[in-house]
Amino acid sequence: MTTIRFLAEPCLTQAHEAAAKKLISRVHQNDGSRRDPYLNNDFNTFKEMPAFFLAFYGPRLVGLLTLYADESPQDGEVDVTINVLPEFRRRKIAQHLWRDAKRTLKRYGYEHAEFLSEHAFLKQNPNFLTKTKLQPDEISEFQLVAPSTPKKSQISTDPLQVRLITEQDIPNLLPAYMTAFDEGDESESARYLKTAVRKQNGYVALLDGETIGYSAVDFGDYNYLFSLFIAEKYRGQGLGTRFVHDLMVKTANQYPFKLGVDSDNIAAIKIYQHNGFETETQLFYLTAQEGPWAMTSE
């Protein structure tokens, strides 16, 4: 009789990553979901910490839990995503994956975690929140998508320059980055920027030689924009819209663009809509105060 085998690893092997993408695609088809978990530990605080928990039925990957732990245990929450093949649900695979992951998080000092879910899944499963005792945060997140060909700009032609970030840009960029994301830990912010330098996927916006904005782009089956901001004193002047447009032009290929934005960030949503972005899915961050999904329970 074939049993479920569980495995945990800090990084996915090439074979496991391919299997994970296949599993996620199957889940999307079934659930109508669209958000892909990040299949790398580039930004996790502890590189050696297991971040991927896998469930196998024979050689077949049937369940995957990912931990996105880019903040220190004292300050932040860990984002958790769980994907289980439809035909293997209701076998307590998700619970087993979470139990193993929770033990790992506690071992590294984490006390708070939140689970990502999507509107389509919650609509299909109206009793899910009641059964799991999970509560959604007040602020959700929209995942937006835009075509591979950027929308033609209708805005100012100020001499805005967009180029790859360099190591020399980090000292000037770091204070604005920390302010934009309300980040008090300089080492965490620096880790994002240094990773962008290493991977050559971070871009700065300069106006008259002054650094006024930044974004990174994760290239793959689509171009995912993240950590995007314009410095506070340059907002409200159309420069954010211009930066997004020029960034899209500079990084355009045959793949569409995607990004995530908080539901209460109306100004940013308008900027993205002006550049052709439309809502693809809505994400909810769920937490538990009690029950098996709570960090405090065993």
Side-chain angles (χ1 to χ4, degrees):
M1 179 179 178
T2 304
T3 59
I4 304 296
R5 175 174 58 92
F6 294 92
L7 175 69
E9 52 192 23
C11 301
L12 291 174
T13 66
Q14 188 173 6
H16 287 168
E17 182 176 346
K21 289 181 177 179
K22 185 176 180 180
L23 180 151
I24 293 162
S25 177
R26 175 75 178 85
V27 169
H28 286 342
Q29 291 173 6
N30 182 80
D31 295 349
S33 53
R34 293 291 181 271
R35 178 61 168 257
D36 296 333
Y38 190 52
L39 300 180
N40 204 304
N41 74 345
D42 280 339
F43 304 112
N44 282 7
T45 300
F46 302 105
K47 299 296 185 184
E48 77 284 0
M49 184 184 80
F52 304 97
F53 297 78
L54 305 93
F56 292 90
Y57 183 75
R60 185 183 184 191
L61 181 65
V62 299
L64 172 70
L65 181 150
T66 69
L67 300 178
Y68 190 82
D70 63 333
E71 297 178 312
S72 66
Q74 296 76 23
D75 303 320
E77 292 183 319
V78 177
D79 291 345
V80 182
T81 63
I82 304 176
N83 287 278
V84 177
L85 288 178
E87 59 269 34
F88 283 86
R89 294 174 183 175
R90 297 179 178 84
R91 301 191 191 187
K92 299 189 181 298
I93 292 174
Q95 290 92 326
H96 191 127
L97 290 169
W98 170 236
R99 186 166 62 248
D100 290 349
K102 180 164 55 175
R103 289 170 180 163
T104 295
L105 290 175
K106 288 184 175 182
R107 191 164 68 247
Y108 279 83
Y110 287 100
E111 298 179 354
H112 304 283
E114 52 190 7
F115 301 87
L116 274 67
S117 189
E118 296 185 43
H119 174 74
F121 174 82
L122 295 177
K123 186 176 181 180
Q124 284 186 22
N125 301 273
N127 298 322
F128 176 78
L129 295 179
T130 301
K131 289 181 178 179
T132 57
K133 298 182 180 180
L134 290 166
Q135 298 290 328
D137 289 352
E138 291 183 3
I139 299 173
S140 61
E141 179 182 321
F142 293 114
Q143 179 167 289
L144 309 182
V145 62
S148 58
T149 303
K151 186 177 179 181
K152 186 175 181 180
S153 177
Q154 302 285 330
I155 56 178
S156 168
T157 56
D158 290 333
L160 189 72
Q161 180 188 5
V162 177
R163 62 162 172 79
L164 280 169
I165 187 175
T166 67
E167 191 77 33
Q168 290 70 37
D169 291 317
I170 294 179
N172 290 331
L173 186 60
L174 196 54
Y177 185 102
M178 294 174 64
T179 299
F181 298 108
D182 194 23
E183 177 59 72
D185 191 320
E186 183 174 307
S187 63
E188 292 176 8
S189 298
R191 184 169 67 251
Y192 268 84
L193 298 177
K194 290 177 180 178
T195 300
V197 172
R198 175 174 58 82
K199 298 182 71 172
Q200 294 191 312
N201 70 340
Y203 296 83
V204 291
L206 300 101
L207 184 66
D208 296 327
E210 183 175 354
T211 304
I212 68 166
Y214 169 81
S215 180
V217 185
D218 189 24
F219 297 101
D221 295 333
Y222 46 82
N223 304 322
Y224 193 85
L225 279 57
F226 65 99
S227 298
L228 194 156
F229 76 92
I230 285 286
E232 190 170 6
K233 73 175 183 177
Y234 291 99
R235 295 172 190 170
Q237 304 173 42
L239 291 168
T241 304
R242 172 71 185 278
F243 175 39
V244 173
H245 172 268
D246 290 3
L247 176 65
M248 293 172 70
V249 170
K250 193 171 190 67
T251 59
N253 49 36
Q254 71 267 38
Y255 300 113
F257 293 90
K258 293 189 181 186
L259 55 81
V261 59
D262 287 345
S263 59
D264 65 341
N265 195 346
I266 306 303
I269 291 172
K270 289 182 178 179
I271 287 174
Y272 301 138
Q273 288 175 336
H274 191 95
N275 281 289
F277 282 89
E278 297 180 351
T279 300
E280 182 179 40
T281 187
Q282 185 177 11
L283 288 93
F284 296 91
Y285 291 84
L286 314 176
T287 55
Q289 300 300 320
E290 57 179 348
W293 299 98
M295 279 291 292
T296 54
S297 63
E298 292 299 331

